[in-house]
Structure formats: C-alpha cells, structure tokens
Amino acid sequence: MRNLTTIEIDRLKILAENAISLSLIELTKTGLEKGIMDATGSVRSYLKENDLHDYEIQKQGAKENGVLIDSIIITGNAFVDSKASLYRPKAKGKGGDPRIWFYGIAKYCSPNDILALISFDKKIWVLNLTKIPIETLINSSLVNPIKDFIVEINQITNEVSNELLIKLREIASRGFVPALLQADTAIGRTLEHLLDIKMNSSKTPDYKGIELKSARENKGTRKGLFGKTPNWQLSKFKSRIEILDAFGYWEDGIFRLYNTIRGTGRNAQGLILRTDYELDYLFENSDKKEIGDFLVWELQVLKDALATKHKETFWIKAESKKEDGKEYFLFKSAEHTKGPLLNQFGLLIDIGAITVDYPIKRLPDGSVIDKGCNFKLKPNALNLLFPPSQSYSLIME
C-alpha cells in the first residue's frame, strides 16, 4: 500500500479518536480495471478477528468456493448496499492469492484511493478515506450519514469503557485502600481484587476485553506490554536455561541474569536486539562471535500479541503511601488507549523505546526460576505506539 497523505492520516486519526477499528486497502489502477483487490495480510487478519471471514480455511475457486458478505459503501450523503466477494483464485503450485471486491465500488473511487474497511453489525462498511471529507462531516451541525454512523459505533464500543470508568471512580472515592499483599505486583493485584477480577496470567485482556495496567504514581518504570517466548525452533539456543548458563552472573550467592536488552546498544552482558525486516524477524545477538544471533522472534507474531493484548487498555496510576509497614493505594488517573500502531513496533525496538526483559535465576537447590521474556515500553513513549489517547481523572471533586 502506498504512503498515506497528510489529509488521509488526519482522517484516520479522527476515526481512531472515535473508537473506529478498521483496516486499510488500496484500490490500484489495475485492480479498478479488473475488479479485484488483493486481500493483504492486515485485511485478512482484520476480517478473521471480527469473525467475518477466514481465508486460511478457504479453498480455491471464485465460483465454487467464493464467499459473499453483506457490505455497505459509505458515500458523502448516503449508504449504498453492496456485497463483498472474497475468494482465492485457482492457481497451480500455490494456495491462490486472497482476493476481495465490493460490487459497485468503482462508481465511488479513482485509482490509488485508500479505502477504510470497518466491521460493524456483521457487515463490511467501506469508506473512501481519500475522497470523503470526514473532518467536515463529523463536525457539521447538520445530520449526515457518516456522522450518525461514527457516533453510533462510538457509543457501542465505549459502553464497556464507560462502565469500567464508573467502577474506577467508585474505587477512587474510597480514598486510600490497603494493598492486597506486600510486593511490587501489589498494585495490579489489588485493583483486580477491587474490580472482582480473577488473577489473570493469560494473554487475553482483563476486563471484558479491556487490558488493565496499573503503576505507582511518579515511578518512572517501563510499561509492561506482553510476554512472548522466542521461536525455539528458529533460535540457536533452545531454552532460557541455556541463556542463563551463557550470560549469567553471581550476585548475593545466587546465579542469575536480570537482563534488559535494547536495540540501541549492548548491555553489560554484550547483548542487543536486532530487527531484520527482510526476514521479518527480531534477533537477540551476543557480541561473542561463537554465539552471534541466538534468539529469534517472528515480528508478525509479536505484532499479533500486541494487537490481542492491547486492543484497548486503561493505564492506571495510583498514589502510594506506607503506614505501619503496610502499603496503601489511592487510584487517581487513567489513560485510555485503543488500536496500537502495529507498524511502529519494529521502529520502536530500533530506537530503544521497546525493550525486552527476562529475569532468570538458579536457586541453591539447582532449580531455576524463569519469569519469561517480557516486552516493555518506555514510560514516555505511549503516544508513539498508540493513536491519541484519552486521559481521565478518577477523583471527582
């Protein structure tokens, strides 16, 4: 897909600010003439995530195995009924490149227009991001289809976040609440307990599809994004115990490796992150020539984990105080993000905004405690990974 213009980017931001989840596709000159568009990886993922279509299980043949989905073409002043045709053409020796087409779309497009595909009400809604003046229509005092459509989606998608915000403000109204336990993780565990959420070690979000990330106020710690094990089959090392043996050190009688790895320079153990965009891999590399690249993550797998875990997130801050050896929290603010900018992921590794931690240690009895490979974001880099967020005060005057 071509680079977006400044106007298209501004329109995309408006949709993001109004909680519109979407995918983009370019209608090329050839595609317009032939009536076909390639269903790119991002389009395929979007359709699958929204339970509209799964190309992975679709057989070849447009006529015998093609699928039609109800669709709506959004024009400047109307909604036009359409059908989306999704298929894999017959091809020898390969699976057939996934295709998509919307009946009647050619009337409303020119070559190289960028189309926003929006899943809503089990239909695919198509909006020409290049041609339609979204900013004018949504700010208009007059009733128009686009404004009504965006407002409706915004209201529906914000139902859960509004419910959560009300609960957080009720918790904040209690003042300082005692920590559930005395540990670094106490703040998250305490909040989940107050929200009646069972302890979450899964990869899925915490509260009805919304991820909760809480931190102590004024503590400039990095924000935890997700944990993801390397692809051991592609990696030179086959376990984190091998990593501990290769790079660990003794501290206070414990053999350990408490390690942060960045893309901007080697750490004390000589380790660095390296992105390879041709292979679509993230490597961890050692300055020891006999080791070199020893861990591999697939960048698409990492992006998928980010998209799943942080489709919508509340980043919550609390004031902490200690009395009589116990910790207490006053939950004060929340920052609400949606739809991470997945294409930024590799870049943020390259500039050191996203790092990887893996704390590992071997106890005197020989057992190993391994807390996994954890991807973290610098505290001031939230706006580099997500579209403009909303900030809420939890303490109501």
Side-chain angles (χ1 to χ4, degrees):
M1 189 172 71
R2 65 169 173 79
N3 292 330
L4 301 186
T5 65
T6 301
I7 292 175
E8 289 165 346
I9 292 173
D10 288 342
R11 290 171 180 170
L12 190 60
K13 288 179 179 179
I14 291 171
L15 294 174
E17 289 168 1
N18 283 276
I20 308 298
S21 170
L22 54 82
S23 185
L24 299 179
I25 193 167
E26 179 184 359
L27 180 52
T28 65
K29 181 180 179 181
T30 302
L32 190 60
E33 292 171 351
K34 293 185 176 181
I36 56 171
M37 289 186 285
D38 290 330
T40 60
S42 59
V43 169
R44 298 196 301 272
S45 295
Y46 181 76
L47 296 177
K48 184 177 179 179
E49 289 168 6
N50 286 278
D51 296 322
L52 288 171
H53 185 66
D54 187 352
Y55 280 101
E56 293 177 9
I57 60 175
Q58 186 174 23
K59 296 181 179 179
Q60 293 184 27
K63 290 184 178 180
E64 57 270 46
N65 295 306
V67 172
L68 293 177
I69 296 178
D70 288 338
S71 300
I72 305 291
I73 298 171
I74 305 172
T75 70
N77 54 18
F79 296 143
V80 179
D81 289 334
S82 177
K83 293 281 186 182
S85 173
L86 303 95
Y87 62 95
R88 287 181 178 272
K90 291 184 178 180
K92 293 182 180 179
K94 55 181 181 178
D97 294 332
R99 302 281 173 77
I100 187 169
W101 184 251
F102 298 93
Y103 297 164
I105 192 69
K107 299 177 185 177
Y108 308 99
C109 298
S110 301
N112 305 116
D113 281 356
I114 301 294
L115 308 181
L117 309 186
I118 302 168
S119 170
F120 181 64
D121 195 26
K122 297 300 180 182
K123 299 181 179 71
I124 304 175
W125 299 66
V126 187
L127 188 153
N128 191 322
L129 199 69
T130 305
K131 283 187 163 45
I132 297 180
I134 300 170
E135 63 284 5
T136 301
L137 293 169
I138 197 170
N139 292 319
S140 173
S141 58
L142 302 176
V143 175
N144 62 76
I146 289 182
K147 183 176 181 178
D148 289 345
F149 176 67
I150 291 175
V151 168
E152 184 178 3
I153 293 182
N154 187 286
Q155 289 175 342
I156 291 173
T157 56
N158 281 333
E159 281 181 5
V160 174
S161 60
N162 289 337
E163 172 187 293
L164 175 59
L165 183 59
I166 290 170
K167 289 188 176 184
L168 290 173
R169 284 176 170 161
E170 190 279 324
I171 291 171
S173 72
R174 304 179 195 179
F176 281 93
V177 294
L180 196 62
L181 66 160
Q182 303 302 309
D184 286 343
T185 59
I187 184 168
R189 293 281 301 279
T190 301
L191 181 61
E192 289 179 355
H193 173 73
L194 292 169
L195 289 168
D196 197 27
I197 299 172
K198 293 181 180 180
M199 187 174 177
N200 175 23
S201 60
S202 73
K203 301 174 184 178
T204 56
D206 300 300
Y207 185 87
K208 298 181 181 181
I210 298 178
E211 178 72 6
L212 301 177
K213 289 292 183 180
S214 48
R216 294 165 178 83
E217 193 178 46
N218 300 323
K219 190 174 181 182
T221 53
R222 289 164 296 147
K223 299 179 184 294
L225 293 175
F226 58 86
K228 180 57 65 175
T229 300
N231 185 321
W232 297 118
Q233 290 184 331
L234 296 174
S235 301
K236 183 178 293 185
F237 285 8
K238 302 304 179 184
S239 74
R240 280 187 286 271
I241 294 177
E242 289 187 48
I243 302 171
L244 176 62
D245 291 338
F247 306 110
Y249 52 85
W250 288 96
E251 184 175 271
D252 299 328
I254 301 292
F255 193 65
R256 69 179 73 207
L257 181 60
Y258 279 32
N259 216 23
T260 296
I261 310 98
R262 299 175 175 83
T264 51
R266 296 187 183 276
N267 63 13
Q269 284 72 43
L271 306 179
I272 193 171
L273 297 175
R274 181 177 71 83
T275 51
D276 187 320
Y277 294 106
E278 289 188 8
L279 293 174
D280 203 36
Y281 288 167
L282 171 65
F283 291 101
E284 185 173 351
N285 174 275
S286 168
D287 60 357
K288 297 178 181 179
K289 292 183 179 179
E290 68 274 17
I291 295 179
D293 294 331
F294 63 94
L295 290 185
V296 180
W297 291 267
E298 295 156 292
L299 281 172
Q300 187 57 52
V301 170
L302 297 177
K303 292 176 184 179
D304 290 344
L306 176 64
T308 299
K309 192 72 171 175
H310 291 287
K311 182 177 181 180
E312 186 173 2
T313 305
F314 269 55
W315 308 85
I316 301 159
K317 288 189 177 181
E319 182 180 343
S320 169
K321 71 174 183 179
K322 289 191 175 182
E323 291 182 357
D324 301 325
K326 295 182 179 180
E327 189 173 21
Y328 295 81
F329 299 117
L330 173 61
F331 293 94
K332 297 176 67 174
S333 65
E335 193 165 2
H336 184 193
T337 60
K338 295 181 181 181
L341 305 171
L342 301 182
N343 289 334
Q344 296 282 89
F345 188 84
L347 171 63
L348 295 185
I349 290 175
D350 294 339
I351 66 175
I354 292 178
T355 58
V356 177
D357 282 15
Y358 45 72
I360 321 170
K361 61 182 178 182
R362 180 177 286 116
L363 300 179
D365 64 3
S367 62
V368 173
I369 296 178
D370 175 7
K371 296 186 178 180
C373 295
N374 302 303
F375 287 78
K376 297 188 175 183
L377 180 71
K378 281 189 172 181
N380 61 350
L382 202 65
N383 63 341
L384 298 178
L385 187 58
F386 295 91
S389 60
Q390 289 183 291
S391 296
Y392 308 115
S393 173
L394 301 181
I395 300 175
M396 306 302 292
E397 296 180 359

